[in-house]
Amino acid sequence: MHCTFEFDMNNNKEIYEFGKVAKQANGAVLLKSGKTVMLATVVMDKNPVEEDFLPLTVQYIEKSYAAGKIPGGFVKREQKPGDFETLTARIVDRAIRPLFPKGFLYPVVITVMVLSADEEADLQVLALNAASAALYVSDIPIRTAVCGIRVAKIDGEIVINPKLSQLENSTLDLYLAGTKDDLLMIEMRSIGTYEPEILPPSMVDPMLDPTLAEEVVMIKNPNAFDEEELSNIILQGKEAINSACSEYEKYFIEVAKEELEVEIKPEKIDENIWTYVDEIYKDDIYKAINAMAKSERAQHLEEIVKKIAEDEIAKEQGWEEDTIFKVVDKYKRKIVRDMILNERKRADGRGLKDVRKIDIETNILPSAHGSCLFTRGQTQALVVCTIGEKSAAQMYELLTSKGPEYEHFMVHYNFPPFSVGEARPIGAPGRRELGHGNLAKRALEPVVDVPEDKTIRLVSEILESNGSSSMATVCGGALALKAANIEIKDLVAGVAMGLVIENDKYAILTDIMGLEDHDGDMDFKVAGTKDGITALQMDIKLGGIEANILKEALIQAKEAREHILNIMEDAAKKIEINEENLPTSKTITVHPSKIAQIIGQAGKTIKEIIEKFEVNIDIEREKGKVKVTGKNKPKVIAACEHIKTIAQKEEEKIPQFKEGEILKGKVKRIANFGAFVELPGGIDGLLHISKLSSGRVEKVEDVVNIGDEVEVEVLNQKGHKIELALRQVFK
């Protein structure tokens, strides 16, 4: 049935069109918003998989033609997904996945294609809404709508679903997803703001003309949100989601297909095996749970399973090893959760709020610009900072951007299999690696003011993983920046929070390890400074979270963050910066007229400087800026001094005139504000238009022309600057 619904809410006008395209899919929708058109489809395989997991795949694909572009590169068609596409698909997946019931084993593929793009549209918000609509009206038996919104804070006001141009002026970027009853997912980052600041001559390193050195620069101020404010904003966003989902469901039900009959495979636990394990192997499982290393715990549990399978009763009853393993795994989960809820005790003996032991070493790599080995419990990240030139930035192009953009601060996260004891070769980074790297970047970016002429890259190599390696990346990344002598406004730390909840009992866990992530009900990563939160990411496994629990988790995370930051601050004080490794750049200012002497005839002088001091030199002629860059700091300084000497020698050659002195010269050049007169000694003086006559002069050429010989009076001389007044013209 062809049907169209139009919604105007949360600052978005959305038109959903059903029954027009992709009719062979289980569900499909065309979503239009402004100039944006998206096609979302849902297809389900009729045959369930044997494994006990939800085989859901989400694809988000941007077509270049949607923005009137042809793909760049040699092959003129869309290639593998870009980072934005991968991260958007991940967002949709995380919001949709909780809707499927436990035991749903049919492969499902959700595809969202951008067919037309509006440069002001928030494609991540629209992608989730389109995917949810296609799933809701399909014959797959899920009748719960999900809505995504973005929340900004602009000029102190909360704005729901801002335009992309508005988001540039926001201090907050908060993405929320949920149903009419529950909040399912949070992605948040704070955005640093820039304010103008005038640098005095002493900071710009003026040389011959201090008036040229004073400069207005944009200084970055980090923003962080305290827990109370952020909780209130999230609740405000949750209300907007609830009302939107109610509206969607009210109308979408009219065109929803008749539900298919699908088999929900119940979680079967053999009661006989459960009883046997409880009576005979309870203590063994307790010991396995308390094994410190993740790999040791898994090995102990496998040994218990094999031991049970070899028992006489197991052979008599025909218990299969796979069945025993499932029972042991569920029994292990019960013990872990019971310990936390009833004994307020965790598998490794910690209290609910305890952070694992932290060890920090900095600059352990002799040839790297900056490095930090951050270890927290059995999670270890080696984060390395590299400083490059501006040209080393990562070029990328978004569908909504007018042209190529450049990323000057990069965070790359690698998760090799050996970090969890798996015997697999290292492969290309997947969605998880991109997502974790993006989270760490969002946490650190507000405090990093990348120099205008630099590019900074952080690489996190996860060497061991048992709980929140992304937050270890944040901590190690902040210290690696410090170790590379990069100015950051504040240190940033991150911690992963967990939740176990059953009926009216709940426990919030600080610094969760892998076991608690696997058997818990929430994964909540919070990063920030001592002033507040700069980034967070939350995924709920149980269908939603109460407002009071959310706020309590944020407060508990703050306590942990401050504890970690204290340790990091102590480590930062002990950093020994390897100056010899760091690329050094120094900018000096000379008068633009001296640039020619620094370059020399046919570039001879500047080439000699580059070869002699092993540096690179960039020159801005109009501003008289000379930037010297090299790997050796003493050589950079020596090159700067050499350049100053060249300029000073030229300065010494400037003839000196007395105020009121009468001179003869020739008009060399004319501008709309006056004429330049060549004086004795080959130096030029400025004859301003106001000094051509006692009366008003409309046009310089009305009084003098190029080549005219003139008599002038010296009004003022400051080095190379000479102001003149016209006395007479010799025609």
Side-chain angles (χ1 to χ4, degrees):
M1 179 174 66
H2 183 208
C3 193
T4 301
F5 298 108
E6 186 172 323
F7 300 94
D8 194 353
M9 55 192 174
N10 295 334
N11 290 331
N12 259 356
K13 185 175 182 180
E14 300 174 344
I15 300 172
Y16 292 84
E17 195 168 2
F18 300 98
K20 183 175 182 177
V21 297
K23 298 173 188 175
Q24 295 193 40
N26 291 70
V29 64
L30 272 179
L31 169 56
K32 301 175 183 177
S33 180
K35 294 180 181 179
T36 299
V37 180
M38 281 188 183
L39 168 65
T41 62
V42 179
V43 179
M44 183 186 77
D45 197 309
K46 296 178 181 178
N47 302 311
V49 297
E50 293 295 326
E51 297 84 356
D52 185 18
F53 77 101
L54 172 62
L56 172 65
T57 303
V58 176
Q59 302 175 99
Y60 170 80
I61 302 167
E62 294 181 342
K63 296 296 184 178
S64 295
Y65 57 70
K69 300 175 181 179
I70 294 175
F74 181 76
V75 180
K76 298 300 178 182
R77 68 181 300 160
E78 287 78 9
Q79 300 296 302
K80 67 176 185 176
D83 286 2
F84 181 81
E85 291 171 283
T86 301
L87 294 170
T88 303
R90 196 166 184 259
I91 283 174
V92 175
D93 186 303
R94 287 162 48 204
I96 293 288
R97 191 172 288 271
L99 303 183
F100 289 84
K102 185 73 176 174
F104 187 99
L105 304 180
Y106 296 84
V108 174
V109 176
I110 297 176
T111 303
V112 181
M113 294 170 57
V114 184
L115 308 179
S116 176
D118 190 322
E119 63 183 21
E120 288 284 15
D122 191 325
L123 299 179
Q124 291 186 329
V125 166
L126 295 175
L128 176 56
N129 293 351
S132 171
L135 179 62
Y136 189 93
V137 302
S138 73
D139 50 13
I140 300 172
I142 291 176
R143 291 294 177 260
T144 303
V146 174
C147 174
I149 65 168
R150 195 176 299 276
V151 184
K153 187 177 181 182
I154 304 170
D155 297 328
E157 298 293 325
I158 299 301
V159 179
I160 305 293
N161 286 333
K163 295 179 180 178
L164 293 188
S165 58
Q166 289 179 296
L167 194 61
E168 293 176 1
N169 300 316
S170 175
T171 57
L172 172 68
D173 180 0
L174 173 65
Y175 188 100
L176 302 173
T179 67
K180 65 182 180 183
D181 298 316
D182 297 311
L183 191 61
L184 299 176
M185 189 193 74
I186 303 174
E187 288 263 5
M188 171 263 175
R189 68 183 176 111
S190 68
I191 304 173
T193 55
Y194 287 85
E195 294 181 3
E197 184 172 312
I198 298 176
L199 289 184
S202 59
M203 292 185 66
V204 186
D205 190 19
M207 206 183 87
L208 303 174
D209 188 1
T211 60
L212 289 175
E214 189 171 273
E215 186 176 358
V216 177
V217 297
M218 301 303 286
I219 301 297
K220 188 174 189 178
N221 294 321
N223 287 300
F225 288 81
D226 67 59
E227 286 68 18
E228 182 77 28
E229 180 185 10
L230 191 56
S231 297
N232 292 334
I233 295 173
I234 290 172
L235 291 178
Q236 190 174 332
K238 183 175 182 289
E239 291 175 6
I241 290 173
N242 293 353
S243 59
C245 288
S246 298
E247 284 294 298
Y248 290 149
E249 293 184 6
K250 179 180 176 181
Y251 292 97
F252 290 170
I253 195 65
E254 297 177 16
V255 292
K257 296 180 181 179
E258 184 179 347
E259 295 183 12
L260 289 171
E261 288 188 13
V262 298
E263 180 186 359
I264 303 299
K265 193 173 181 181
E267 210 171 10
K268 291 183 179 179
I269 295 295
D270 191 310
E271 295 296 336
N272 292 325
I273 301 177
W274 182 278
T275 302
Y276 184 73
V277 168
D278 187 48
E279 291 179 354
I280 308 298
Y281 287 95
K282 184 176 183 178
D283 291 341
D284 291 337
I285 294 175
Y286 257 104
K287 290 177 183 177
I289 289 172
N290 285 277
M292 288 301 293
K294 184 177 178 180
S295 56
E296 290 175 2
R297 186 183 302 114
Q299 183 181 343
H300 288 181
L301 289 172
E302 287 174 7
E303 290 172 357
I304 291 170
V305 170
K306 289 179 180 178
K307 193 174 179 182
I308 295 171
E310 292 171 359
D311 288 352
E312 287 299 323
I313 190 169
K315 293 177 180 178
E316 289 175 6
Q317 297 293 323
W319 295 343
E320 295 181 358
E321 198 167 304
D322 286 347
T323 307
I324 297 171
F325 179 82
K326 288 179 181 178
V327 173
V328 169
D329 188 60
K330 295 299 176 187
Y331 191 83
K332 176 262 301 179
R333 183 176 189 272
K334 176 183 178 298
I335 291 177
V336 169
R337 294 172 69 88
D338 285 348
M339 285 172 60
I340 291 169
L341 288 172
N342 301 322
E343 302 175 34
R344 316 304 279 182
K345 180 184 170 185
R346 300 163 72 173
D348 58 1
R350 281 185 293 153
L352 302 188
K353 295 185 178 183
D354 292 343
V355 177
R356 290 171 292 178
K357 183 177 181 295
I358 293 174
D359 291 306
I360 298 172
E361 294 180 68
T362 53
N363 278 343
I364 63 172
L365 304 180
S367 296
H369 292 160
S371 59
C372 175
L373 182 65
F374 183 89
T375 307
R376 178 166 54 199
Q378 291 90 46
T379 296
Q380 188 176 66
L382 174 62
V383 190
V384 186
C385 177
T386 306
I387 306 168
E389 292 301 305
K390 187 176 182 179
S391 58
Q394 172 68 61
M395 185 180 76
Y396 66 96
E397 189 169 358
L398 298 175
L399 204 60
T400 51
S401 62
K402 294 181 180 178
E405 298 186 28
Y406 296 88
E407 187 177 12
H408 293 281
F409 177 57
M410 297 171 275
V411 180
H412 295 153
Y413 168 101
N414 297 318
F415 192 85
F418 63 73
S419 65
V420 287
E422 294 182 0
R424 291 188 292 109
I426 294 174
R431 289 187 178 186
R432 181 179 179 278
E433 285 84 352
L434 289 174
H436 281 19
N438 183 58
L439 175 59
K441 180 188 175 184
R442 288 189 285 118
L444 292 166
E445 198 167 29
V447 303
V448 182
D449 192 3
V450 180
E452 186 181 348
D453 57 344
K454 297 295 181 187
T455 295
I456 297 173
R457 181 184 184 230
L458 286 176
V459 179
S460 177
E461 308 286 1
I462 304 304
L463 307 184
E464 189 177 359
S465 179
N466 185 8
S468 196
S469 50
S470 64
M471 295 296 94
T473 297
V474 171
C475 300
L479 289 167
L481 288 164
K482 282 272 191 183
N485 205 27
I486 296 293
E487 286 292 329
I488 62 175
K489 306 298 182 182
D490 295 293
L491 285 172
V492 181
V495 64
M497 309 298 292
L499 174 70
V500 175
I501 184 167
E502 287 185 8
N503 301 320
D504 59 343
K505 282 186 177 181
Y506 72 90
I508 298 170
L509 310 176
T510 293
D511 183 25
I512 58 173
M513 54 184 177
L515 177 72
E516 293 161 340
D517 184 10
H518 182 268
D519 293 331
D521 300 314
M522 178 182 76
D523 182 12
F524 195 8
K525 300 180 177 73
V526 188
T529 66
K530 284 193 171 180
D531 292 331
I533 298 168
T534 58
L536 64 83
Q537 178 180 295
M538 182 192 80
D539 291 297
I540 297 293
K541 304 174 187 177
L542 46 76
I545 184 171
E546 296 291 333
N548 64 313
I549 297 177
L550 172 63
K551 188 173 180 180
E552 188 179 337
L554 287 173
I555 298 297
Q556 192 167 315
K558 180 182 180 181
E559 296 171 4
R561 191 171 72 245
E562 290 177 345
H563 166 75
I564 298 166
L565 283 168
N566 288 335
I567 298 172
M568 290 173 62
E569 285 171 358
D570 289 340
K573 293 173 184 175
K574 300 173 184 176
I575 291 174
E576 294 182 7
I577 295 170
N578 190 347
E579 294 280 1
E580 294 181 2
N581 278 0
L582 296 180
T584 302
S585 64
K586 187 173 176 63
T587 301
I588 59 175
T589 305
V590 300
H591 189 269
S593 65
K594 306 303 162 211
I595 296 298
Q597 282 74 37
I598 294 170
I599 294 173
Q601 187 174 2
K604 180 182 178 183
T605 304
I606 198 169
K607 287 177 184 176
E608 289 175 351
I609 297 171
I610 290 170
E611 291 175 4
K612 180 179 179 181
F613 297 100
E614 298 177 353
V615 295
N616 293 321
I617 299 175
D618 293 313
I619 293 174
E620 289 185 56
R621 280 180 176 268
E622 293 182 0
K623 294 182 179 180
K625 287 187 176 181
V626 182
K627 178 188 169 188
V628 183
T629 306
K631 293 183 178 180
N632 186 290
K633 188 174 181 179
K635 288 185 178 181
V636 169
I637 294 173
C640 289
E641 293 301 320
H642 185 71
I643 292 169
K644 287 180 182 180
T645 302
I646 293 173
Q648 284 169 345
K649 285 180 180 178
E650 292 299 323
E651 189 73 11
E652 291 167 1
K653 297 177 184 178
I654 296 174
Q656 300 296 314
F657 302 108
K658 295 178 181 179
E659 186 176 332
E661 188 174 351
I662 307 300
L663 303 169
K664 286 185 178 181
K666 183 180 287 187
V667 177
K668 187 177 179 181
R669 186 162 59 91
I670 288 179
N672 58 2
F673 54 81
F676 290 92
V677 178
E678 185 178 0
L679 302 173
I683 190 171
D684 292 345
L686 174 61
L687 190 57
H688 194 267
I689 191 170
S690 63
K691 306 298 181 183
L692 292 174
S693 172
S694 57
R696 180 177 175 80
V697 177
E698 296 291 338
K699 192 176 179 183
V700 176
E701 288 90 338
D702 292 340
V703 181
V704 295
N705 289 285
I706 294 174
D708 286 351
E709 291 187 1
V710 294
E711 185 178 80
V712 293
E713 179 183 347
V714 178
L715 299 178
N716 185 26
Q717 179 174 6
K718 289 182 180 178
H720 56 275
K721 284 186 177 181
I722 305 173
E723 295 180 21
L724 306 171
L726 181 65
R727 288 177 61 87
Q728 63 175 312
V729 181
F730 302 104
K731 294 291 186 180

